[in-house]
Amino acid sequence: MYLAFYRSHRNPLIHPKTRDRVEHVETFRFPIVYDGLRAGWASFKDLFRALGTPHDENSWQIMCEAHKLPAQIDPNQYVDIQTWAGEMFRKHLEGMNSCE
């Protein structure tokens, strides 16, 4: 999970070598980024356990509290910005056309 997030989201954001990579940032969605961060935290936690210094069992909750993030989310609570923006633009055009 984290490797896919790393390749699809982190690399284009940190190393935007081309315009396509910069524009790719516009496709980021909070639930996907959240899941990627959570998967990265799990990888970090596994690494430390393998090194003999395990994290607390509730380290994800501790990290979320420290950064004012929810420990769990419901992806349905977050609108797709591109769909929403298209819908708002369509309503704007309809309003403009009704004024004519």
Side-chain angles (χ1 to χ4, degrees):
M1 168 73 187
Y2 184 66
L3 182 59
F5 174 78
Y6 190 88
R7 287 180 177 159
S8 68
H9 286 71
R10 186 217 175 259
N11 282 349
L13 183 62
I14 302 301
H15 308 289
K17 296 176 186 171
T18 64
R19 182 118 181 100
D20 290 346
R21 280 188 158 189
V22 173
E23 291 171 355
H24 177 71
V25 172
E26 295 175 2
T27 67
F28 286 14
R29 300 293 174 266
F30 180 72
I32 294 169
V33 172
Y34 181 90
D35 287 344
L37 290 173
R38 190 170 188 158
W41 190 261
S43 297
F44 191 67
K45 191 174 170 181
D46 290 345
L47 175 63
F48 271 76
R49 185 178 352 191
L51 293 172
T53 50
H55 282 196
D56 292 339
E57 280 305 309
N58 63 340
S59 65
W60 174 251
Q61 288 78 12
I62 293 168
M63 194 279 299
C64 288
E65 286 176 19
H67 296 284
K68 311 260 188 290
L69 289 170
Q72 294 182 356
I73 65 165
D74 176 3
N76 295 322
Q77 291 179 323
Y78 299 90
V79 299
D80 183 311
I81 299 299
Q82 286 181 326
T83 301
W84 181 78
E87 183 64 20
M88 293 298 103
F89 185 65
R90 185 186 62 75
K91 287 183 179 183
H92 169 71
L93 292 178
E94 286 175 357
M96 296 293 290
N97 289 334
S98 68
C99 293
E100 295 176 355

